[in-house]
Amino acid sequence: MSASKGSVWARLAQSLKTLWDEDKPAPAVVAPGKVPRPTARSTVESAAEWLEQMLARDPTIKARLHVVSLVEYRDSVADKWPRLADKVAIIVDQVVRRNIGRGNTYCRDGEDCWILAFPELSIDDARRRTIAVVEELGRFLYGQQQGGADRPVALAAEIPVAEAVGEDGEFVSHRIASAVDEARAYVSTSGLPYLPSATGATASGEDDPLQGWTTLDRGDNARRDDMKWETIEGTGVKRPAAYLDPSIVGPIPPGASLSLIWRPTWVAMGEAISAYGARVVRRDHKDDEPIEGCRAYPDGDVATALTLDRFVVNSAVRDIRAAARNAQEGVPQPSVILPLSWLSLASDQRTSVVFALSDLTQETRNTRLVIEIFHIPDGTTTPELESVVSFAGTLCREVLVRTRLSARRTSVAAEIGVSMVGLDLSEFRPEDRMDDEHLLAVLERIQRETAKDGIGCYLWSARHRKVVGGVVQGGFEMVNGPGLMKDIPRPAIVLPAPRARFAAE
């Protein structure tokens, strides 16, 4: 299989000419029979020979080509595809170039498929870069979906070179299509735009495409001052060592199933069930117990937080738009509360998390959307908190901050634009829980302290009607949980619920 002018390798080499590392010269000594690594001065033909040498001529290498498919997106836009195809191709070209790195290459195959080759990378590194491409494409193209679809619009697949390239030096289209079909089938059960690996998951996780993602931090030069964000525990409550026990849950694995449910929320203003809070549900394996809400987020795992929060935002936008289409004209619409983790909102990828909110009208964002920030680390400085709150505040009507049992500096929270602080009882570990009488006493103190600072407070996941009645009568701004109403699959209508209906038994 030699690299002829019209071959796969020549097509790939066309883009290689703009992507190879110009600062890395060809080796001075090249083994007999080997083609030297191309440089900026190399011809397309010699670059094609090098690609074929690296990927196809040695059967022991077992090289793979990686596929980026927009077949899901093409199906979702239906008859709009001919009008969008050229614009989409430009976006794909930019995203691929930004992610695959110099020395790697790609070409288009058909209208909705791109082939990526990584001649000098390991399979794991190549897979990670391909996943980065499809995830960024998903963020760019999500807004074009029709019918509220929540399936990934860009898919990643991979196929051995020996199967993908025929004896004639051209792509074997039906084999590539089969690899894409396999990825499409997997999406239906996982919600993820890629297969875990072509060789199957291993106990060590070496084929996990999420393994090795770089944890993002704000560096040592983050702004610091004397005012740290800290939590204060209720009298008699043991201080937990961390927000979550790290042994409870790990990074999200390939094949994990995600879904979104909505929790009806009583709101003091208007005395009604007039808000619905999103709650992610994660199931790592088929027979596992589901993990809900903040417990689905491993402590310190930025990659998993980004994955979960993107899912929450995308799914919430779908549900909000669907509810709006079915709403009666002139009927008040409820508020929607999106809980997003500090790890996501403090990372330099936070724009990708909230990108799908652009699909909501500005009126919806300004009048109905509430963003709640949770898992704020102790020691976070006021400037750091203010920066994240300010960013979130540009996207919604108001910003909430969740802590464990209140914030020591709730006055600071009020000054930087937070409308309420609160807590979620589902975050309590067994040793931190207390009886209803003790809990209500702690909550009463919290309400007094937050009122003194001029800020509201709320409570999530109240399981007992006595607690619900106590916080409603005690001046809390919002409350939800099984003790109020069961979770539902979509945001519903505003339901009157006068305060007098709730008795603090």
Side-chain angles (χ1 to χ4, degrees), residues 135-150:
E135 290 194 333
E136 186 170 346
L137 286 173
R139 297 192 292 273
F140 274 108
L141 302 177
Y142 180 86
Q144 298 290 342
Q145 293 186 86
Q146 303 297 312
D150 63 342

Side-chain angles (χ1 to χ4, degrees), residues 152-487:
V153 294
L155 305 177
E158 55 189 75
I159 182 172
V161 170
E163 296 179 17
V165 182
E167 290 296 326
D168 60 354
E170 296 297 336
F171 289 126
V172 183
S173 298
H174 71 273
R175 292 177 182 169
I176 295 173
S178 294
V180 171
D181 288 343
E182 186 179 2
R184 294 185 77 181
Y186 187 73
V187 166
S188 300
T189 57
S190 71
L192 297 175
Y194 48 81
L195 290 168
S197 74
T199 57
T202 65
S204 65
E206 64 184 11
D207 289 317
D208 181 355
L210 294 176
Q211 186 181 29
W213 284 12
T214 303
T215 299
L216 303 172
D217 56 51
R218 289 162 285 153
D220 296 332
N221 59 348
R223 294 174 63 192
R224 301 277 177 187
D225 63 17
D226 292 333
M227 300 180 69
K228 311 291 187 181
W229 179 263
E230 298 176 355
T231 57
I232 181 170
E233 304 304 329
T235 304
V237 182
K238 295 180 181 179
R239 181 185 180 92
Y243 280 13
L244 290 173
D245 182 346
S247 66
I248 294 176
V249 61
I252 188 169
S257 173
L258 299 177
S259 59
L260 196 71
I261 56 178
W262 292 88
R263 184 153 283 185
T265 301
W266 183 85
V267 180
M269 181 178 293
E271 298 187 14
I273 308 296
S274 58
Y276 292 84
R279 192 169 178 86
V280 69
V281 180
R282 166 183 167 183
R283 192 188 297 270
D284 287 353
H285 304 287
K286 183 177 179 181
D287 298 324
D288 286 357
E289 288 294 319
I291 310 170
E292 290 190 19
C294 65
R295 302 188 73 83
Y297 293 73
D299 193 25
D301 187 339
V302 178
T304 295
L306 289 167
T307 298
L308 294 175
D309 282 347
R310 286 173 187 145
F311 174 83
V312 168
V313 173
N314 288 357
S315 299
V317 167
R318 172 203 63 195
D319 290 350
I320 293 167
R321 294 179 67 192
R325 286 194 298 270
N326 298 327
Q328 296 181 10
E329 188 174 354
V331 175
Q333 295 299 296
S335 300
V336 287
I337 303 168
L338 296 189
L340 300 176
S341 69
W342 172 267
L343 285 175
S344 290
L345 293 177
S347 81
D348 62 4
Q349 297 187 56
R350 62 187 183 182
T351 303
S352 73
V353 172
V354 301
F355 182 82
L357 293 179
S358 62
D359 275 1
L360 300 177
T361 65
Q362 187 163 351
E363 180 183 6
T364 296
R365 297 195 300 270
N366 291 346
T367 61
R368 297 176 54 204
L369 182 63
V370 178
I371 291 178
E372 180 193 25
I373 306 171
F374 66 94
H375 281 178
I376 300 173
D378 285 352
T380 300
T381 66
T382 300
E384 289 173 326
L385 182 60
E386 183 176 15
S387 174
V388 172
V389 169
S390 177
F391 170 76
T394 63
L395 307 169
C396 61
R397 185 187 76 202
E398 58 184 307
V399 178
L400 315 179
V401 163
R402 189 195 308 172
T403 184
R404 287 200 290 275
L405 279 177
S406 183
R408 182 170 296 169
R409 300 185 186 275
T410 54
S411 58
V412 173
E415 290 170 5
I416 65 176
V418 173
S419 65
M420 301 182 210
V421 295
L423 68 155
D424 188 333
L425 296 181
S426 69
E427 295 187 24
F428 283 22
R429 303 194 309 184
E431 61 266 31
D432 302 322
R433 293 173 184 167
M434 62 196 85
D435 60 40
D436 290 348
E437 293 292 341
H438 192 181
L439 177 62
L440 286 171
V442 171
L443 296 176
E444 182 182 2
R445 176 181 58 79
I446 290 172
Q447 196 281 327
R448 288 198 306 267
E449 292 176 352
T450 55
K452 189 185 305 181
D453 288 328
I455 193 169
C457 56
Y458 61 89
L459 178 70
W460 296 161
S461 304
R463 302 189 63 83
H464 300 153
R465 294 184 63 84
K466 180 176 181 178
V467 174
V468 172
V471 297
V472 168
Q473 300 294 342
F476 272 62
E477 299 295 327
M478 295 191 294
V479 62
N480 68 27
L484 177 71
M485 289 181 67
K486 293 181 178 179
D487 296 336

Side-chain angles (χ1 to χ4, degrees), residues 61-75:
I61 294 176
K62 298 181 180 179
R64 308 180 78 82
L65 296 178
H66 295 257
V67 183
V68 172
S69 171
L70 296 186
V71 64
E72 290 278 345
Y73 178 75
R74 181 177 180 176
D75 288 352

